[in-house]
Amino acid sequence: MSGLRFRVVEKAFQAKAREVTVPLERPSEYFGKYVFNREKMFKYLPSTVYAKLVDAMDNGAALDRSIADAVADGMKRWAMSLGVTHYTHWFQPLTEGTAEKHDAFVEHDGKGGMMEEFSGKLLVQQEPDASSFPNGGIRNTFEARGYSAWDPSSPVFVVDDTLCIPTVFIAYTGESLDYKAPLLKALSAVNKAAVDVCHYFDPSVKKVFSYLGWEQEYFLVDEGLYAARPDLLLTGRTLMGHEASKNQQLEDHYFGAIPTRVAAFMKDLEIQALELGIPVKTRHNEVAPNQFELAPIYEECNLAVDHNMLIMSLMRKVARTHGFRVLLHEKPFKGVNGSGKHNNWSLGTDTGALLMAPGKTPEENLRFITFIVNTLMAVYRHNGLLKASIMSATNAHRLGANEAPPAIISSFLGTQLSRVLDHLEESTDEQLVSLEGKHGMKLDIPQIPELLIDNTDRNRTSPFAFTGNRFEFRAVGSEANCASAMIALNAAVAEQLTCFKHDVDALMANGVSKESALIQVIRKYIKICKPIRFDGNGYSEEWKEEAAKRGLDCETSCPLIFDNYLTPDSIAMFESTGVMTKVELEARNEVKWETYTKKIQIEARVLGDLAMNHIVPVAIEYQSRLLDNVYKMKGLFAEEEAKRLSEENIAIIKEISERTAYIKEHVDAMVNARKVANKIEGERAKAIAYHDTIAPMLEQIRYHIDKLELIVDDKMWTLPKYRELLFIR
Ligand code: ADP
Ligand code: MG
């Protein structure tokens, strides 16, 4: 078997970069080639239909059934011009991925033949037999039907021979069964609440967009090596493997340049992403060896989420054609930095204002402060929920592990913005607002230099950092659907802005001037949300103590963190914003707990198998060889001499015996613990058992396996080692 390891290592070592065919046109010309965007709509749709569709897209209206046939027909003709034969509703169920069911365009033509057919009905709605998608009990067997419906704010696109229609996925009883439906509701809620608040400053604002610019981190591994690691294949991470030496990591890190094989992959991926209308812009090496990052230009949140889902599947596909496998798991390698997904988030108006960016005038800056402070309030009030929104069995390995944000949500503002908030907090109304002759009201809001955008100090340890014109939510997992975090954040901000308007209006109704009212409420909020502001080192132990004193959520157990979705505050927030009902929240939590359990369950099984089939037999085989040597020594040398010469081997023999005994015993214990846990009623309790008893066993067993890796003859070891997985190009 170990022969296989050497063969795959050698093959990986010799692999050459694949040639990539670069389109002759410039990127701006092939950008969106496979997207039914406005340009193509205009070309393929009658002008009245085009106008109605654009209206539905811009104003978030449902597609008017009367034009659905014409839209479908235009889409079909465009798609067929690209050789497309099938269509699918493309949706985002509560698993971390997308789902699709492909149907051919063909229908009977009534004359014994076939014709290409794609009606408005099929575009607008489909009924995937979806009883196998997680739904947390919303759809019990007698009404196990859901439907998917096109969301016109997400453009239709073509992948290979299939027209993909982004849809929401909803139960017949109305509950959402996916990420997109609540996301659209959250975006609509934040739009409404933010427009109302914008009217204090500019009555002409009609729409507020939520923007998202994600940065996607990932690892690449040679496909041969990947195939020789059943743990990577089955769980997405290595369940064992001793760290390679630190020197190697540093050396590799300092090499800096993107290896040619990887560069070819990236180039290919970028071309295909651009063709799908994903505005990819940045690529670079990440901190860990074989780790990279990809980021597009930010987009409207719903589209950005679709694009992130799309790029993750595109990455998987393109990686294969380059002899790689892409690892999106948050922590594929122990002791090596994990992968996250920074969600750069901001709000902006249809009049072109970025609400999280400082402006040029005192009024613009008051608006800026308004949105910053309300965001901080939302994050403060719902810090536990926001943590729950990014938590998963896989992301749990990364958070709080001295490399990623801790499992406590706090916000970093940088010195300048902190100073401005402190100033506002301490000053009196009279100081801030004074009536000044013919210029009318004068606001003494401190000038906030626009330079702030470029020179905000960076605090890499903060999970929610202000970075000049946006907040960067850094705790999101690399594998996650960004929507989960964006639903919670946008909904919380929507709720908060509504409260703000309520408070300001109440003061104004009592005769307080608008500016004074705004400032009074802001000042009050600055005081309330102070505990969420933290500019220090988020990795430190002191911060954990301090955060607990401040009343921030410090829970670290993943199943318990999910409880945050069901607190009275969270339910009230989601219900008042119309984003999710209590029933939906409860159902979703069932899915979260169940998924958590399944992940640990699979890891436990795989680790058990590998330990018993790969590790223990190899260790014992090596031990036998050592034993053989010890006996031979005895035959050759005098007793004392033989003993002395065999001392080291005997120590290793003992160590192997002890470690293999431990492993066998604990693999058995883990099987029994699973049996006990599996009998527990209720997904929550079961997940807690898996977290508390089984997950720690994985680590304990691994510890001994990793020690064995260090002492067993390298030639006999069957599984590719970290240094091979991580350093071969
Ligand atoms: P970093 O220095 O964190 O790597 P980048 O310049 O690579 O930052 O940008 C990260 C992401 O933030 C990109 O997707 C970018 O488009 C996005 N971004 C920039 N400004 C905004 C904004 N106002 N709102 C949302 N996202 C933004
Ligand atoms: Mg960033």
Side-chain angles (χ1 to χ4, degrees):
M1 260 308 276
S2 54
L4 171 69
R5 180 175 139 231
F6 286 107
R7 275 203 306 282
V8 290
V9 168
E10 196 175 309
K11 205 165 156 237
F13 200 70
Q14 289 168 350
K16 295 264 179 309
R18 215 198 79 189
E19 248 343 285
V20 176
T21 338
V22 181
L24 295 173
E25 311 102 303
R26 279 176 304 178
S28 59
E29 290 164 48
Y30 61 80
F31 179 74
K33 181 176 171 186
Y34 294 120
V35 184
F36 195 60
N37 53 21
R38 286 175 197 228
E39 180 198 333
K40 278 142 210 157
M41 287 174 190
F42 189 75
K43 188 167 162 199
Y44 283 90
L45 302 178
S47 57
T48 49
V49 173
Y50 172 79
K52 278 192 187 168
L53 180 57
V54 166
D55 182 53
M57 285 158 54
D58 289 348
N59 301 314
L63 185 64
D64 184 342
R65 294 282 169 123
S66 67
I67 62 161
D69 278 332
V71 174
D73 183 64
M75 274 178 191
K76 185 189 73 185
R77 280 186 293 115
W78 166 71
M80 282 172 58
S81 77
L82 295 168
V84 166
T85 52
H86 286 65
Y87 70 93
T88 180
H89 276 200
W90 183 81
F91 57 98
Q92 301 171 19
L94 296 175
T95 51
E96 306 294 335
T98 53
E100 39 200 87
K101 171 183 165 237
H102 296 211
D103 284 307
F105 278 141
V106 289
E107 282 294 333
H108 291 293
D109 66 358
K111 298 180 219 112
M114 295 293 249
M115 58 187 263
E116 273 79 25
E117 174 68 29
F118 181 54
S119 67
K121 199 169 132 258
L122 298 175
L123 165 67
V124 172
Q125 191 164 320
Q126 209 181 28
E127 289 174 27
D129 171 28
S131 46
S132 50
F133 290 108
N135 62 72
I138 280 181
R139 285 172 299 120
N140 33 36
T141 34
F142 49 87
E143 44 120 7
R145 285 199 313 168
Y147 66 91
S148 53
W150 184 39
D151 142 39
S153 62
S154 298
V156 165
F157 55 90
V158 162
V159 173
D160 300 329
D161 61 0
T162 304
L163 178 69
C164 302
I165 304 160
T167 58
V168 291
F169 181 36
I170 298 170
Y172 262 94
T173 38
E175 291 86 5
S176 43
L177 299 170
D178 68 346
Y179 282 108
K180 194 189 261 294
L183 177 66
L184 292 173
K185 290 177 186 167
L187 295 176
S188 147
V190 83
N191 165 39
K192 190 179 168 309
V195 165
D196 284 348
V197 170
C198 279
H199 285 171
Y200 289 129
F201 308 95
D202 177 0
S204 73
V205 170
K206 287 196 190 62
K207 186 154 185 176
V208 169
F209 300 94
S210 175
Y211 293 119
L212 166 62
W214 42 262
E215 301 164 62
Q216 177 73 52
E217 293 179 336
Y218 62 96
F219 280 88
L220 285 176
V221 176
D222 177 85
E223 65 181 355
L225 295 166
Y226 173 87
R229 287 289 308 223
D231 47 355
L232 267 186
L233 201 103
L234 296 169
T235 72
R237 74 172 177 119
T238 54
L239 298 174
M240 54 190 69
H242 202 280
E243 282 171 49
S245 76
K246 283 275 183 266
N247 284 343
Q248 261 176 301
Q249 283 188 35
L250 279 179
E251 224 174 87
D252 186 86
H253 174 42
Y254 289 138
F255 271 17
I258 298 174
T260 49
R261 235 183 120 190
V262 176
F265 157 79
M266 287 179 169
K267 196 194 271 182
D268 206 0
L269 175 66
E270 282 166 10
I271 293 167
Q272 297 194 41
L274 289 166
E275 285 176 340
L276 280 167
I278 308 172
V280 289
K281 188 175 159 78
T282 317
R283 54 161 113 135
H284 58 78
N285 274 8
E286 260 307 319
V287 182
N290 274 22
Q291 193 188 27
F292 308 95
E293 183 189 294
L294 174 76
I297 300 169
Y298 68 92
E299 299 175 283
E300 183 277 315
C301 186
N302 172 42
L303 186 59
V305 167
D306 280 359
H307 280 166
N308 183 248
M309 297 310 285
L310 196 51
I311 203 118
M312 288 195 285
S313 57
L314 196 59
M315 277 171 132
R316 291 196 175 95
K317 195 170 90 182
V318 177
R320 281 169 181 250
T321 67
H322 287 262
F324 288 121
R325 283 295 187 277
V326 63
L327 306 181
L328 292 171
H329 192 290
E330 283 80 3
K331 192 76 181 172
F333 305 101
K334 189 178 176 181
V336 173
N337 264 13
S339 301
K341 183 144 58 192
H342 295 177
N343 278 203
N344 293 269
W345 171 87
S346 68
L347 297 174
T349 65
D350 59 340
T351 55
L354 274 181
L355 298 171
M356 304 293 170
K360 291 193 179 61
T361 63
E363 287 75 16
E364 281 175 0
N365 281 333
L366 182 57
R367 184 189 62 197
F368 163 63
I369 298 294
T370 298
F371 280 92
I372 294 290
V373 170
N374 276 293
T375 302
L376 291 175
M377 272 294 275
V379 174
Y380 171 58
R381 289 171 61 191
H382 296 288
N383 71 88
L385 173 70
L386 285 168
K387 185 164 75 182
S389 78
I390 52 91
M391 197 32 99
S392 66
T394 50
N395 204 17
H397 288 287
R398 175 178 158 258
L399 296 176
N402 267 15
E403 51 160 277
I408 301 166
I409 300 293
S410 65
S411 186
F412 167 84
L413 296 180
T415 34
Q416 294 201 54
L417 186 52
S418 296
R419 230 180 270 149
V420 172
L421 296 195
D422 293 344
H423 171 81
L424 280 174
E425 183 187 349
E426 287 150 18
S427 54
T428 61
D429 258 22
E430 290 69 42
Q431 283 171 316
L432 287 172
V433 189
S434 50
L435 283 172
E436 283 235 331
K438 57 181 185 316
H439 298 298
M441 196 75 83
K442 181 172 177 291
L443 287 169
D444 173 35
I445 304 290
Q447 277 300 317
I448 303 163
E450 275 196 274
L451 262 181
L452 198 62
I453 292 175
D454 300 317
N455 68 7
T456 36
D457 17 359
R458 293 269 166 147
N459 180 332
R460 284 279 154 203
T461 71
S462 178
F464 197 82
F466 176 70
T467 47
N469 61 358
R470 61 189 186 269
F471 280 96
E472 195 167 332
F473 195 6
R474 302 204 183 106
V476 183
S478 47
E479 196 172 38
N481 186 327
C482 296
S484 177
M486 290 295 106
I487 292 166
L489 179 60
N490 285 295
V493 170
E495 178 203 44
Q496 180 54 46
L497 289 169
T498 308
C499 293
F500 177 75
K501 182 170 162 48
H502 181 267
D503 288 353
V504 172
D505 286 352
L507 287 175
M508 283 166 64
N510 282 335
V512 180
S513 78
K514 185 174 77 182
E515 279 75 13
S516 285
L518 288 167
I519 288 168
Q520 280 179 32
V521 178
I522 288 173
R523 188 183 295 128
K524 182 176 86 179
Y525 286 3
I526 291 175
K527 288 197 176 82
I528 299 174
C529 71
K530 223 168 188 180
I532 201 71
R533 281 162 59 190
F534 177 64
D535 287 4
N537 177 9
Y539 297 168
S540 68
E541 281 304 311
E542 299 86 73
W543 169 232
K544 286 184 196 160
E545 272 174 43
E546 165 71 17
K549 274 194 216 135
R550 293 187 188 188
L552 299 179
D553 188 305
C554 297
E555 181 57 61
T556 56
S557 156
C558 183
L560 294 179
I561 288 173
F562 293 150
D563 286 347
N564 279 303
Y565 271 101
L566 297 175
T567 61
D569 279 355
S570 296
I571 294 171
M573 186 278 280
F574 281 121
E575 292 202 326
S576 73
T577 49
V579 174
M580 278 187 276
T581 62
K582 186 167 178 227
V583 172
E584 288 173 303
L585 290 165
E586 282 169 348
R588 277 160 188 264
N589 259 29
E590 292 293 301
V591 175
K592 287 188 213 302
W593 285 315
E594 193 184 332
T595 309
Y596 179 87
T597 299
K598 276 189 189 150
K599 292 242 158 133
I600 308 289
Q601 204 170 43
I602 293 169
E603 287 188 349
R605 284 197 197 121
V606 174
L607 182 72
D609 287 354
L610 284 179
M612 300 313 291
N613 300 328
H614 280 249
I615 309 302
V616 170
V618 167
I620 289 178
E621 193 185 331
Y622 179 56
Q623 189 189 39
S624 309
R625 259 207 238 162
L626 296 179
L627 279 167
D628 198 39
N629 179 283
V630 170
Y631 275 108
K632 283 179 180 153
M633 287 286 190
K634 269 191 184 165
L636 208 57
F637 298 100
E639 196 180 327
E640 278 311 301
E641 179 79 342
K643 216 172 171 186
R644 191 178 60 80
L645 290 170
S646 299
E647 230 167 64
E648 211 159 286
N649 280 350
I650 290 170
I652 298 177
I653 289 166
K654 275 193 190 150
E655 186 177 341
I656 291 178
S657 286
E658 279 156 17
R659 296 203 190 279
T660 51
Y662 183 98
I663 292 169
K664 282 190 211 162
E665 206 177 290
H666 282 74
V667 166
D668 283 344
M670 196 163 67
V671 172
N672 288 327
R674 276 193 339 250
K675 280 186 189 152
V676 173
N678 292 344
K679 288 208 185 79
I680 297 175
E681 291 278 333
E683 294 300 341
R684 179 176 180 273
K686 201 184 289 179
I688 291 172
Y690 266 87
H691 174 272
D692 292 355
T693 60
I694 294 143
M697 287 175 151
L698 285 163
E699 283 311 303
Q700 291 153 4
I701 295 169
R702 175 195 186 134
Y703 175 82
H704 291 279
I705 293 177
D706 291 355
K707 289 286 180 202
L708 286 176
E709 185 186 317
L710 289 182
I711 53 174
V712 170
D713 184 355
D714 183 60
K715 285 199 294 294
M716 298 172 74
W717 200 256
T718 60
L719 302 173
K721 297 185 171 180
Y722 271 24
R723 60 162 194 264
E724 294 153 353
L725 290 166
L726 284 166
F727 300 106
I728 284 181
R729 301 308 198 191

